[in-house]
Amino acid sequence: MKCIKPGLFTTVQDIGRSKFEKDGFSEAGVMNQYLYNIANALVDNDNAPVLEVTLNGPTLKFEESNIVAFVAYDADIQLDDQTIPVNTAIYVEKGQVLNIKTILSGARGYLAFHKSLNIEPILDSVSTHTRSGIGGMNGRTLNRNDVLKFKDKTINHDIIGNTFNINQLEDANIIPIMEGLQFDEFTSEAHDQLVNQSYTISEMSDRMGYRLNGEEPLVHKHNADIISEPIAPGSVQVPINGQPIILLNDRQTIGGYTKIATVSFVGREKLSQLKANDSITFKWISFEEATVEYQTYIKQLEADIDDIKLKKYKDLSNIRPKSKKIAKLIKGESIMNIEKIEELIKLMKQNQVNYMKYKDETVEVELDLKSTSNNVTTTPANNIEESTPTSKQEEQLNTIESEILGTFYLQDEETLQNPLVKVGDEVKKGQVVGYIESMKVLNEVISEYDGIVNDIQINHGDPVEYGQTIITLK
């Protein structure tokens, strides 16, 4: 599987390396364990490595067939430029291109594989920890032209179409916390302030920790420093400026700031789906309440996985043979003869497909193998309404749009002086035409078309929204 475009922050992850913190190795691992486990259940591959995607994801060309599922609250994903559903096991053939364009709800999603990623574990885990440079793809995020191999496995076609409806957690922005190890080192006013004011997640936040900005800083009784000690996941450190930092999966193993609170397991699951500039509030709970909350959460996860394995939910409406094969078979035909129809039915059965619909400028075909009569509807080209010819064809404009929120930069990444493109320049498909900075990462803006720059609609250094047109090409 070759990476054509890496996405904002895409890493290989599994459950993490939790046994080695005593030796100074950070835990790493997936930020959201529920979505991770559901993704692997859909492709029938428990505890396997996944690609964790943040905000916008990679474009991947498959060099062998596999079954994949991208699990998120909601996302815009395509297979060979055709939209496919989230949270569904999809059969991908050799040569097909999967594009995880953007996460529409939440901040992270997980791409799971029926045939596992073939990556050598380090300390019992393949999880990527970018700060120490271990795990995954050489300890870093995915890069363009990276190639990931799969382990050999006979594909189980019965799991194609496995699907599951995932609902967001209630009160997604209310984060449960327990008293921290240095709770008594803060004033009673600070204890109340922590839960009575709203905090904004800073743009200086990542998998290591979320920095928070609140209106009123928290006050220590003495000072912010302590002798360094081990740090639990979800620890809420408060440095001298009084603004909390929630330490997460890629946190350091020891630290020397006072910890007023610890975010519960379910609270950390919520945080994984929040991003920079989102607002949160805290809620005090007891250790006993946190335990019950965790047990309930895990019990629901186990029940959901059981339902998936019993194949209670199937969605075959988007499972079809590779579009290029269909196009090659029937494109340009004005009449579908019986031989063509039989060839289509054979192709569908090979790919475990019960329903297929295809339409282009010359023919429309619909096949339903569940129907007792195997109905076929074809529309010859002479029955399709044609557009009125014109003496001069209108000039076609293609748009290059933003796939993330951030700040657009038109100039060269290194010098920040030379514009990458200007009006009138020729642009080739795959060419970098700008950068969008989001969450401290420069994300390449890549043209999907050949053409001439007609207009640049976003100025250098201006903010850009998801889906906003940046450049038009003619």
Side-chain angles (χ1 to χ4, degrees):
M1 180 177 68
K2 183 177 181 179
C3 177
I4 298 172
K5 186 173 69 172
L8 178 65
F9 196 93
T10 305
T11 56
V12 177
Q13 300 290 345
D14 56 20
I15 207 65
R17 48 181 67 82
S18 58
K19 297 179 181 178
F20 298 93
E21 291 170 285
K22 68 183 187 305
D23 301 310
F25 291 94
S26 297
E27 183 178 14
V30 292
M31 293 277 281
N32 190 294
Q33 293 192 23
Y34 178 86
L35 296 186
Y36 164 76
N37 282 289
I38 292 296
N40 276 333
L42 287 170
V43 297
D44 192 27
N45 199 5
D46 294 347
N47 304 316
V50 298
L51 291 182
E52 181 179 84
V53 170
T54 303
L55 296 182
N56 80 301
T59 300
L60 305 165
K61 183 174 183 179
F62 283 71
E63 297 178 347
E64 60 180 277
S65 60
N66 207 334
I67 299 172
V68 304
F70 184 69
V71 171
Y73 290 145
D74 194 15
D76 180 5
I77 55 177
Q78 295 183 343
L79 185 64
D80 281 351
D81 298 324
Q82 300 295 316
T83 298
I84 58 174
V86 294
N87 312 328
T88 303
I90 304 290
Y91 181 75
V92 181
E93 293 188 34
K94 179 180 178 180
Q96 288 194 282
V97 175
L98 178 69
N99 182 6
I100 303 173
K101 299 188 71 173
T102 191
I103 293 175
L104 300 173
S105 179
R108 290 179 174 85
Y110 297 89
L111 181 62
F113 306 91
H114 181 53
K115 294 195 291 188
S116 292
L117 291 171
N118 192 5
I119 295 176
E120 193 69 28
I122 297 175
L123 301 176
D124 299 336
S125 172
V126 302
S127 285
T128 306
H129 187 256
T130 56
R131 280 179 168 79
S132 57
I134 63 171
M137 288 297 296
N138 302 316
R140 57 168 171 74
T141 58
L142 218 59
N143 285 345
R144 190 187 302 181
N145 296 323
D146 279 346
V147 175
L148 298 117
K149 301 290 186 180
F150 296 115
K151 294 181 179 179
D152 290 335
K153 182 178 184 178
T154 301
I155 289 182
N156 176 13
H157 289 86
D158 288 343
I159 68 172
I160 295 174
N162 279 355
T163 191
F164 195 76
N165 184 34
I166 294 176
N167 297 313
Q168 294 196 41
L169 291 171
E170 293 183 0
D171 300 324
N173 295 70
I174 299 177
I175 308 301
I177 52 174
M178 301 162 284
E179 292 183 4
L181 289 177
Q182 285 79 42
F183 177 82
D184 292 332
E185 292 298 313
F186 293 84
T187 65
S188 58
E189 290 81 6
H191 299 155
D192 293 337
Q193 283 175 0
L194 186 60
V195 293
N196 290 334
Q197 68 176 332
S198 176
Y199 287 93
T200 301
I201 298 173
S202 165
E203 292 186 356
M204 301 296 289
S205 299
D206 54 22
R207 284 176 46 90
M208 183 176 182
Y210 280 11
R211 291 179 177 270
L212 306 179
N213 294 320
E215 187 174 340
E216 295 292 333
L218 304 179
V219 177
H220 302 80
K221 285 182 178 177
H222 302 101
N223 59 61
D225 297 325
I226 58 171
I227 297 174
S228 292
E229 64 182 17
I231 299 175
S235 293
V236 183
Q237 285 189 160
V238 184
I240 190 66
N241 67 1
Q243 299 294 353
I245 304 170
I246 307 172
L247 296 174
L248 300 170
N249 296 46
D250 287 1
R251 69 193 180 279
Q252 70 274 28
T253 56
I254 60 172
Y257 287 130
T258 48
K259 296 174 285 294
I260 190 172
T262 304
V263 176
S264 71
F265 176 86
V266 173
R268 300 197 303 276
E269 294 280 283
K270 291 181 178 182
L271 285 170
S272 73
Q273 294 303 316
L274 300 176
K275 54 189 180 297
N277 299 317
D278 283 344
S279 294
I280 64 170
T281 54
F282 290 112
K283 178 181 74 171
W284 289 114
I285 62 172
S286 67
F287 289 98
E288 292 75 19
E289 288 172 321
T291 300
V292 171
E293 179 187 69
Y294 171 78
Q295 292 171 340
T296 303
Y297 192 75
I298 296 302
K299 185 177 181 180
Q300 183 62 57
L301 170 61
E302 292 171 345
D304 292 344
I305 290 174
D306 287 343
D307 285 348
I308 292 170
K309 292 189 173 181
L310 290 171
K311 300 181 177 63
K312 284 190 175 183
Y313 309 102
K314 283 280 188 180
D315 178 5
L316 295 178
S317 61
N318 289 276
I319 315 301
R320 54 175 63 89
K322 187 176 178 182
S323 58
K324 290 180 180 178
K325 284 193 173 182
I326 296 178
K328 183 178 179 181
L329 183 64
I330 64 178
K331 186 173 178 63
E333 295 289 330
S334 60
I335 298 176
M336 287 295 293
N337 58 35
I338 193 67
E339 288 80 11
K340 291 282 186 181
I341 294 170
E342 287 176 348
E343 195 172 347
L344 270 173
I345 291 173
K346 180 181 178 181
L347 186 60
M348 291 170 66
K349 288 180 177 179
Q350 287 174 346
N351 289 274
Q352 307 287 311
V353 179
N354 290 313
Y355 176 81
M356 182 276 298
K357 187 174 182 180
Y358 177 87
K359 182 178 180 180
D360 64 16
E361 67 275 8
T362 61
V363 66
E364 179 177 345
V365 180
E366 184 174 7
L367 281 170
D368 186 357
L369 301 190
K370 290 182 179 179
S371 171
T372 56
S373 59
N374 281 339
N375 291 331
V376 178
T377 302
T378 65
T379 304
N382 56 12
N383 288 340
I384 298 177
E385 183 179 352
E386 297 182 357
S387 59
T388 304
T390 59
S391 58
K392 184 177 179 180
Q393 287 292 100
E394 289 188 10
E395 197 168 49
Q396 181 180 357
L397 290 180
N398 292 314
T399 60
I400 301 174
E401 300 174 349
S402 172
E403 296 183 352
I404 53 174
L405 297 170
T407 302
F408 175 68
Y409 295 106
L410 183 61
Q411 296 172 344
D412 178 79
E413 181 182 12
E414 294 183 0
T415 66
L416 292 181
Q417 292 179 351
N418 305 314
L420 292 170
V421 294
K422 55 185 181 296
V423 173
D425 282 356
E426 182 180 2
V427 169
K428 295 294 186 182
K429 182 178 179 180
Q431 180 177 335
V432 177
V433 296
Y435 297 91
I436 297 176
E437 184 180 27
S438 180
M439 294 181 68
K440 301 185 292 182
V441 176
L442 279 179
N443 196 50
E444 293 176 338
V445 179
I446 299 173
S447 175
E448 297 181 359
Y449 311 97
D450 294 333
I452 304 296
V453 177
N454 180 70
D455 186 26
I456 300 174
Q457 300 188 5
I458 305 295
N459 294 323
H460 177 79
D462 281 357
V464 63
E465 301 287 333
Y466 166 70
Q468 187 174 359
T469 297
I470 299 173
I471 295 172
T472 59
L473 301 176
K474 62 183 177 181

